[in-house]
């Protein structure tokens, strides 16, 4: 594919003027210099055609490396064009031959003005260079114009001086050719592919770096490749990133020619750079000094000065670092390289990088990565950038590689990038390892596989670790992780078999055996029959031999009693606090702390639950699959929901700072998904809630407690969306499943009150009364204001009349002195009381209750509740719910300060640390700010504050 020359008008004009001077009898020397592929030859040919059209005799020669060993070979090829001069044989001495060639030139000039076109002069022999320099000193009196092209580019190995360098400036004119500008190069693409969009055309320009040779070759190859369809947005499909997608391969061949022209040292550095770039993070993740001082992307580790590409390339290739640094600068100026966001030079397009690597042996690539890793380690670079090079250099690894790979995996886990951690550990396992260390690494790797959603791989890795010899404590960690993965994947019976078999093998260590037993008891609850059997054994053992159960097992018994409506909150907390005060084995402690946190949350001891959650998470190994890790994260979400912090909960679940729980292998919704769904409902985001709920196919979900929680949340969504029939189905199904597991208390899923309200809406008052009455009976067993107040409020609504009003008043009295965290239940109770007061004719009192409900709901950011209370208030005859103050001006000083920090990208914990506040205080202020600014997401803060 060829086309008209672009951006070469100044060169044409310069040569045309020199041509006219030669026609008038004044000759000269003009040298066209430029990098390989910039169109030197094309400009020379166009100039020769122009000269011939103006009546000059054109003589041409193209110098080559093959003739460089024969002195004056290029001059003889240029001038020996007629038979009568064939007697000038190469065997004569240089001076005589040079003189004869000069006389020959003069004879030609006497006949006709001459245009001598000498292409690729940098490949000519030294004698030819000397002859042309001597000719340049004399042709100003002859009608002879010599136009020579010469490669001019910064290479690793310095080139000899060019033709013009030793000559005085008046004797020679030099014209430099640069790559095409983006506009001119894009025009070439548009001519070849008229339907190409600007994005696709720009990608072509970057892949060719504005180099005409590379661009024409690329466009030739793209003729047969998928290309933009007419009218396609942004020229999709995208440009391929691999030369394997190109045919017939003109582009990689042109890139190979460009490398060969630069010399072996430059080609080696260029290819080494392309190989090393494969180990760098994606360009979009590169660290940078971004505007406003924001932090780098968490997936982009800062590599430090020790990873300077010039130093690494010099180390890997043995080149001079100064020359390498100069080459990087020169290639950046030419457009072949472009600085990324961190200022590091990269190839302008992945396709160009792939073309540079084409044909480079794999052994040489690996050697380059090993050399780079070694140099970075010596200079103190962080582990992960070194590890990325080790990933691409398997085999023949130095002894320090294992330590680097493990450190890199730990960093990736800490930064919530489990995919990267998996890659580092897989590479580490390729090394020769003792069985004990291999067992620990396999346990970590299996846990991480589960994190990224690959449960089969997780189970395979953990099973392999389980069969390797190891110290008993490491065996327990592995079997707990394996049991968790199996249970989460729906293989609960296999999990129980593995755990029980291991427990039997630990008869010499009762403490470790109890830990495995506790894990089995916790995971067994996924299967009703198995859970009931193990619970019965625990209960009997605790009665007669408490030492067989241990503190963690006894905590589980408290939990079973709480969910089974057999114990009050006060008694449960007394027993839990007693267990927490006892000494506990470190391996059993997570079970005790996680269970205690859940019980404390149910008992509305939220501050204590918060402390237990943070303590438990801090003690968890970040790369160790453990059932209590997920349980602690679930409890954290439940605490936020109990406090009515729906906005903060949604930020934590869907935001960029959401924690990455080790729960990836579970085929179905989690507890936190259920909590997030309820938060969407409470904030009035019904459309989003419906889309979120529809993303889960519950027919494929594993039968477990978390599915039951999600059924309850979906029922709440359907009830709010006006589908009481669908909601009732979800609530009753949730209740059936919970009852099968002996989960009777309303502390987890108050399905009876929810179902009672649906029954009432559908006209089944008698059934509704039965459900609500039973709920109140069970709630009084647990006896916390939240559970009792909720049950009283629903029973009041179902009962109606004066008796219903008495129950509603009792609900408000129960909830009002309770902690502020029960505020949402107080809102609902006030609405119920207001409606019943209105129904009995006490309208003034009803409005007071409903106004208080609206204010409380808006303070919590509960849009749905505020709307419901407002509607009830309007139905009572009030003109306006409340006088609202909104906008940035309505924020208090504390709200404004915290909102500004959140808008700058700080997370809630970071704001709390910076301002020395409790995280709960930060969440409360942000919730209030969201309400006053009338926004729902953290991402909307900056715009809302700027208004």
């Amino acid at each position: 594919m060829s086309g008209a020359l672009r951006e070469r008008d100044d060169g044409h004009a310069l040569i045309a003027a020199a041509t006219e001077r030669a026609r008038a009898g004044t000759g000269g020397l003009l040298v066209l210099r430029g990098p390989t592929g910039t169109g030197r030859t094309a400009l020379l040919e166009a100039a020769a055609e122009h000269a011939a059209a103006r009546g000059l005799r054109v003589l041409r020669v193209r110098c080559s490396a093959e003739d460089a060993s024969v002195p004056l070979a290029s001059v003889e090829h240029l001038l020996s064009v007629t038979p009568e001069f064939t007697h000038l044989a190469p065997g004569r001495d240089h001076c005589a031959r040079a003189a004869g060639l000069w006389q020959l030139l003069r004879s030609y000039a006497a006949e006709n003005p001459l245009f001598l076109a000498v292409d690729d002069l940098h490949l000519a022999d030294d004698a030819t260079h000397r002859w042309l320099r001597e000719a340049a000193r004399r042709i100003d009196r002859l009608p002879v114009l010599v136009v020579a092209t010469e490669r001019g580019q910064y290479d690793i190995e310095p080139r000899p001086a060019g033709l013009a360098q030793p000559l005085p400036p008046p004797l020679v004119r030099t014209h430099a050719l640069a790559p095409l500008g983006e506009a001119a190069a894009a025009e070439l693409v548009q001519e070849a592919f008229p339907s190409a969009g600007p994005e696709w055309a720009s990608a072509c320009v970057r892949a060719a770096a504005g180099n005409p040779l590379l661009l024409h070759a690329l466009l030739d190859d793209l003729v047969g490749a998928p290309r933009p369809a007419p009218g396609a947005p942004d020229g999709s499909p995208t440009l391929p990133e691999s030369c394997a997608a190109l045919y017939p391969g003109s582009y990689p061949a042109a890139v190979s020619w460009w490398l060969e022209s630069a010399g072996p040292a430059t080609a080696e550095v260029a290819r080494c750079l392309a190989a090393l770039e494969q180990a760098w993070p994606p360009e979009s993740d590169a660290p940078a000094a971004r505007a406003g001082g924001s932090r780098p992307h968490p997936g982009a580790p800062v590599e430090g000065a020790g990873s300077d590409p010039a130093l690494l390339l010099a180390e890997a290739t043995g080149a001079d670092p100064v020359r390498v640094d100069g080459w990087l600068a020169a290639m950046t100026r030419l457009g072949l390289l472009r600085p990324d966001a961190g200022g590091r030079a990269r190839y302008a397009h992945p396709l160009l990088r792939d073309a540079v690597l084409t044909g480079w042996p794999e052994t040489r690539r690996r050697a380059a990565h090993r050399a780079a890793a070694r140099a970075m380690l010596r200079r103190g670079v962080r582990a992960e950038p070194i590890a990325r090079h080790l990933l691409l250099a398997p085999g023949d690894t130095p002894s320090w590689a294992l330590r680097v790979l493990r450190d890199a995996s730990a960093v990736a886990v800490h930064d919530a990038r489990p995919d990267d951690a998996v890659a580092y550990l897989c590479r580490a396992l390729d090394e020769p390892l003792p069985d004990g260390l291999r067992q620990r690494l396999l346990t970590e790797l299996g846990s991480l596989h589960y994190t990224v959603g690959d449960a089969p791989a997780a189970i395979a890795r953990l099973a392999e670790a389980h069969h390797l010899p190891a110290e008993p404590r490491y065996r327990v960690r592995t079997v707990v992780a394996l049991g968790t993965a199996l249970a989460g994947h729906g293989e609960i019976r296999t999990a129980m078999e593995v755990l029980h078999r291991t427990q039997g093998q630990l008869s010499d260590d009762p403490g470790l055996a109890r830990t495995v037993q506790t894990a089995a008891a916790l995971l067994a609850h996924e299967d009703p029959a198995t859970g009931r059997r193990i619970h019965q054994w625990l209960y009997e053992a605790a009665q007669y031999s408490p030492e067989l159960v241990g503190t963690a097992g006894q905590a589980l018994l408290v939990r079973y009693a709480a969910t089974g409506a057999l114990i009050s909150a006060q008694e449960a907390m007394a027993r839990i606090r007693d267990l927490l005060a006892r000494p506990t084995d470190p391996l059993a402690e997570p079970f005790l702390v996680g269970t205690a946190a859940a019980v404390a949350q149910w008992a509305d001891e939220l501050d204590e639950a918060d402390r237990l959650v943070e303590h438990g998470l801090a003690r968890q190994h970040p790369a160790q699959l453990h059932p209590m890790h997920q349980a602690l994260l679930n409890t954290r979400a439940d605490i936020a929901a109990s406090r009515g912090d729906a906005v903060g909960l949604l930020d934590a679940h869907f935001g960029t700072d959401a924690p990455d729980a080790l729960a990836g292998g579970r085929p179905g919704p989690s507890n936190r998904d259920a909590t997030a769904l309820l938060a969407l409902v409470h904030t009035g985001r019904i459309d989003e809630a419906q889309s979120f709920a529809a993303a889960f196919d519950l027919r494929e979900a594993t039968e477990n407690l978390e599915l039951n929680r999600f059924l309850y949340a979906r029922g709440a969504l359907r009830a709010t969306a006006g589908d009481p029939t669908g909601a009732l189905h979800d609530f009753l199904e949730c209740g059936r499943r919970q009852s099968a597991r002996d989960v009777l208390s309303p502390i987890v899923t108050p399905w009876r009150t929810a179902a009672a309200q649906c029954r009432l809406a559908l006209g089944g008052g008698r059934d509704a009364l039965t459900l609500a009455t039973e709920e109140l009976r069970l709630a009084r067993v647990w006896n916390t204001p939240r559970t009792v107040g909720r049950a009283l409020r629903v029973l009041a609504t179902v009962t109606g009349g004066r008796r219903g009003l008495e129950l509603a008043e009792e609900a408000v009295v129960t909830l009002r002195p309770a902690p502020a965290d029960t505020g949402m239940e107080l809102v609902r109770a006030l609405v119920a009381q207001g409606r019943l007061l209105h129904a009995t004719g006490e309208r003034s009192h009803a409005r007071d209750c409903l106004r208080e409900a609206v204010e409380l709901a808006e303070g919590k950011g509960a849009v749905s509740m505020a709307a419901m209370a407002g509607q009830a208030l309007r139905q009572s005859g009030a003109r306006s719910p409340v006088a609202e103050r909104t906008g940035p001006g309505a924020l208090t000083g504390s709200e404004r300060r915290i909102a500004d920090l959140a808008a700058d990208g700080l997370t809630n914990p970071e704001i709390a640390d910076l301002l020395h506040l409790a995280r709960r205080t930060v969440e409360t202020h942000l919730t209030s700010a969201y309400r006053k600014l009338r926004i729902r997401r953290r991402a909307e803060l900056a715009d809302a504050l700027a208004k």
Side-chain angles (χ1 to χ4, degrees):
M1 186 177 292
S2 61
L5 293 177
R6 284 173 168 76
E7 295 186 345
R8 299 294 181 252
D9 292 343
D10 51 351
H12 277 299
L14 181 63
I15 299 172
T19 300
E20 294 305 315
R21 286 196 297 273
R23 289 184 65 218
T26 301
L29 172 62
L30 180 61
V31 178
L32 305 176
R33 287 179 59 82
T36 300
T38 49
R40 301 187 308 263
T41 299
L43 181 58
L44 180 63
E45 290 298 320
E49 292 178 7
H50 173 77
R54 298 295 294 161
L56 278 72
R57 182 181 181 183
V58 177
L59 303 179
R60 295 180 173 86
V61 66
R62 178 164 294 167
C63 305
S64 66
E66 288 77 10
D67 292 336
S69 60
V70 181
L72 294 174
S74 296
V75 181
E76 290 185 339
H77 288 317
L78 176 67
L79 299 180
S80 298
V81 294
T82 55
E84 54 266 36
F85 293 104
T86 55
H87 63 281
L88 295 175
R92 300 176 60 188
D93 64 273
H94 296 349
C95 292
R97 288 168 61 205
L101 290 169
W102 174 250
Q103 291 303 320
L104 179 59
L105 174 66
R106 288 179 62 88
S107 67
Y108 285 164
E111 297 174 2
N112 206 61
L114 295 179
F115 183 96
L116 305 184
V118 184
D119 199 13
D120 290 339
L121 181 59
H122 53 281
L123 299 178
D125 58 278
D126 292 339
T128 294
H129 279 84
R130 287 194 298 272
W131 190 92
L132 286 173
R133 289 191 191 105
E134 288 301 317
R137 293 185 173 92
R138 297 176 175 83
I139 60 175
D140 59 334
R141 296 183 293 277
L142 296 175
V144 178
L145 174 61
V146 180
V147 181
T149 67
E150 195 173 58
R151 185 177 180 276
Q153 185 172 304
Y154 192 102
D155 293 316
I156 300 300
E157 292 181 347
R159 297 275 179 166
L163 175 65
Q165 189 169 340
L167 292 173
L171 298 182
V172 61
R173 292 289 301 274
T174 300
H175 179 70
L177 299 180
L180 297 178
E182 290 200 17
E187 287 178 6
L188 281 174
V189 178
Q190 294 287 351
E191 286 182 5
F193 299 101
S195 63
E199 292 294 329
W200 193 84
S202 177
C204 291
V205 172
R206 289 197 308 275
N211 187 300
L213 170 71
L214 302 186
L215 185 56
H216 285 301
L218 176 60
L219 296 178
D220 282 339
D221 282 345
L222 290 175
V223 168
R227 58 182 187 273
D234 294 330
S236 57
T238 58
L239 195 66
E241 295 188 357
S242 169
C243 292
L246 301 179
Y247 180 82
S250 302
Y251 174 74
V255 172
S256 177
W257 169 253
W258 172 78
L259 289 170
E260 291 174 9
S261 301
T266 301
E268 183 78 357
V269 169
R271 287 173 171 137
C272 188
L273 174 63
L276 296 188
E277 190 180 324
Q278 292 180 311
W280 297 349
E283 186 171 357
S284 59
D285 289 345
R290 292 170 172 82
S294 59
R295 296 155 296 171
H297 187 282
V302 179
E303 300 186 6
S307 59
D308 177 14
L311 297 176
L312 297 183
L313 288 170
E315 181 90 14
T317 61
D320 179 0
V322 175
R323 296 294 301 179
V324 173
D325 198 50
W327 181 81
L328 290 172
M331 294 304 100
T332 301
R333 188 172 63 253
L334 290 177
L336 287 147
L337 305 179
R338 292 193 176 196
D340 62 18
R344 179 168 48 187
R346 294 174 180 259
Y347 280 96
H349 193 276
L351 184 63
L352 177 58
R353 181 187 66 207
D354 188 68
V356 170
L357 279 175
T358 299
W360 209 39
E362 183 65 24
T363 54
R364 188 65 193 89
R365 299 188 197 189
R366 294 181 180 181
H369 287 293
R370 280 194 290 270
R374 188 166 47 248
M376 293 166 74
L377 181 73
R378 194 164 52 248
R379 293 183 173 89
V381 177
R382 289 179 56 190
E384 195 168 359
I386 303 174
R388 288 199 296 266
H389 288 286
L390 294 175
L391 289 178
L392 298 170
D396 192 22
T397 309
S399 57
W400 45 262
L402 178 61
R403 171 174 55 83
V404 170
L405 289 164
R406 293 187 69 189
D407 289 347
S409 174
V411 171
V413 169
H414 180 270
D415 291 345
R417 290 179 287 110
D419 286 303
D420 291 339
V422 165
Y424 299 136
L425 284 182
C426 285
R427 174 66 181 82
L429 286 167
D430 289 338
E431 301 296 307
L433 302 171
D435 285 343
L437 180 55
R438 182 172 294 278
Q439 193 267 355
R440 294 197 295 275
L441 293 185
L442 282 168
T443 301
E444 289 185 25
L445 180 57
S447 299
L448 290 168
H449 274 306
Y450 195 79
T451 303
V452 299
D454 192 351
I459 292 170
R461 295 287 192 178
L462 291 168
E464 183 181 354
H466 181 58
H467 288 98
L468 287 174
E471 296 178 19
R473 301 188 73 81
Y474 291 118
R475 289 180 59 204
V476 169
R477 289 191 176 100
T478 300
V479 77
V480 168
L482 177 57
T484 305
L486 287 167
H489 198 54
E491 301 179 37
I492 185 64
R493 299 198 176 181
T494 305
M496 292 299 103
E497 290 175 8
V498 170
L499 289 164
H500 289 152
R501 186 167 56 248
T502 303
Q503 181 184 350
Q505 296 167 355
L506 293 169
S507 55
D508 294 339
D509 196 327
L512 293 180
R514 282 196 299 268
T515 298
V516 177
Q517 169 190 285
T518 304
L522 181 70
L523 294 172
H525 212 59
E526 300 286 348
D527 178 69
T530 306
R532 192 176 291 111
R533 186 173 62 252
I534 291 182
H535 170 247
Q536 184 63 31
W537 181 90
L538 275 178
Y539 178 76
E540 293 175 357
Q543 294 294 316
Y544 301 106
S545 303
E547 69 280 359
L548 295 178
V549 177
T551 54
Q554 292 181 53
L556 283 181
L557 287 173
V558 175
R559 173 177 176 157
Y560 294 150
T563 56
L566 302 174
I567 191 173
S568 70
Q570 183 178 5
E571 183 181 353
M573 287 305 301
R575 291 171 60 181
I576 283 293
R577 287 168 181 147
D578 176 62
L579 293 171
L580 287 170
R582 300 181 190 179
T584 306
D585 184 275
L587 287 182
E589 184 184 18
F591 296 100
L592 173 60
V593 171
T595 304
V599 173
Q601 185 269 319
W602 295 334
D604 284 334
E605 299 287 350
L606 300 186
D607 290 338
E608 186 169 354
D610 231 341
R611 288 192 297 272
L612 288 168
V613 166
E614 298 310 319
H615 174 76
L617 289 175
R619 300 293 293 271
Q620 288 278 331
H621 191 295
Q624 187 81 44
L625 181 60
H626 196 285
M628 295 316 299
H629 185 90
Q630 171 73 353
L632 287 166
L633 291 174
N634 287 338
T635 302
R636 176 190 278 175
D638 288 338
I639 292 169
S642 296
R643 287 173 171 158
D645 183 21
V647 175
L649 195 152
L650 292 173
D651 274 346
H653 192 75
F654 298 109
T656 57
D657 58 343
D660 187 36
L662 290 172
R666 187 179 294 276
S670 68
N671 270 9
R672 286 180 295 135
D673 293 321
T675 311
L677 180 58
L678 286 172
L680 288 171
V681 174
H682 292 160
T683 53
R685 294 154 64 172
I686 303 304
D687 290 342
E688 293 177 59
Q690 289 174 329
S691 298
F692 181 61
F696 296 97
D697 185 356
L698 301 191
R699 294 170 299 179
E700 302 295 326
T702 303
E703 177 99 6
N704 53 45
L705 290 169
E706 296 192 282
L707 175 59
N708 302 349
R709 289 283 301 271
F710 195 82
L711 281 169
Y712 175 82
R714 193 176 69 176
L717 167 63
R718 287 175 167 176
T720 305
D723 180 14
T725 302
L728 179 62
H729 174 272
D730 281 343
F731 291 138
L732 292 179
E733 180 63 16
C734 169
R736 183 188 67 78
R737 291 166 180 259
Q738 293 287 69
S739 299
R741 288 174 165 78
D742 296 326
V743 179
L744 306 176
S745 176
I747 58 177
V748 181
T749 49
W751 62 271
R752 293 178 187 84
T753 52
Q757 291 174 293
C758 293
R759 287 284 194 197
L760 185 63
L762 295 170
R766 187 180 187 86
D767 292 337
L769 185 60
T770 301
L771 288 166
T773 302
E774 177 64 7
E775 182 91 330
L776 179 59
R777 184 188 70 80
L778 295 169
R780 290 197 187 279
V781 174
W782 186 243
N783 202 32
T784 58
R786 189 193 305 271
T787 52
V788 174
R790 177 176 55 222
L792 284 168
R793 181 252 306 170
V794 175
L795 183 57
T797 303
V798 171
T799 303
R802 282 292 171 185
R803 176 56 183 159
L805 181 57
E806 291 172 1
L807 291 169
E809 290 173 349
E810 185 181 353
V812 171
V813 169
T814 301
L815 290 164
R816 194 179 291 283
D821 297 321
T822 60
M824 290 310 301
E825 284 303 331
L826 179 57
V827 170
R828 296 183 180 94
L830 286 167
V831 171
Q833 183 184 18
R835 284 175 170 166
L836 288 167
L837 285 167
H838 178 70
T840 57
E842 299 182 42
R843 296 188 176 184
S844 177
H845 191 187
R847 291 168 190 166
D848 291 339
C849 291
L850 294 170
R851 282 197 177 92
E852 183 182 358
V854 172
E855 291 171 357
L856 284 173
E858 289 188 342
K860 288 288 186 180
V863 176
S864 295
M865 285 300 303
M868 181 184 69
Q871 181 183 15
L873 181 57
R874 285 189 294 273
Q875 290 172 349
S876 72
R879 294 184 178 180
S880 174
V882 289
E884 298 185 61
R885 292 183 62 224
T886 60
L891 300 181
T892 66
S894 297
E895 290 169 349
R896 179 70 195 217
R897 183 162 59 253
I898 291 172
D900 285 337
L901 292 172
D904 287 340
L906 272 68
T907 64
N908 290 358
E910 289 170 339
I911 296 172
D913 290 342
L914 182 64
L915 300 181
H916 305 290
L917 298 172
R919 190 173 69 180
R920 178 181 170 189
T921 303
V922 173
E923 294 167 352
T924 300
H925 282 307
L926 272 180
T927 299
S928 178
Y930 284 15
R931 175 181 60 81
K932 292 179 180 179
L933 295 173
R934 294 187 177 277
I935 62 174
R936 295 177 177 178
R937 294 184 179 87
R938 205 181 195 93
E940 300 175 54
L941 265 174
D943 290 340
L945 291 171
K947 292 180 180 178

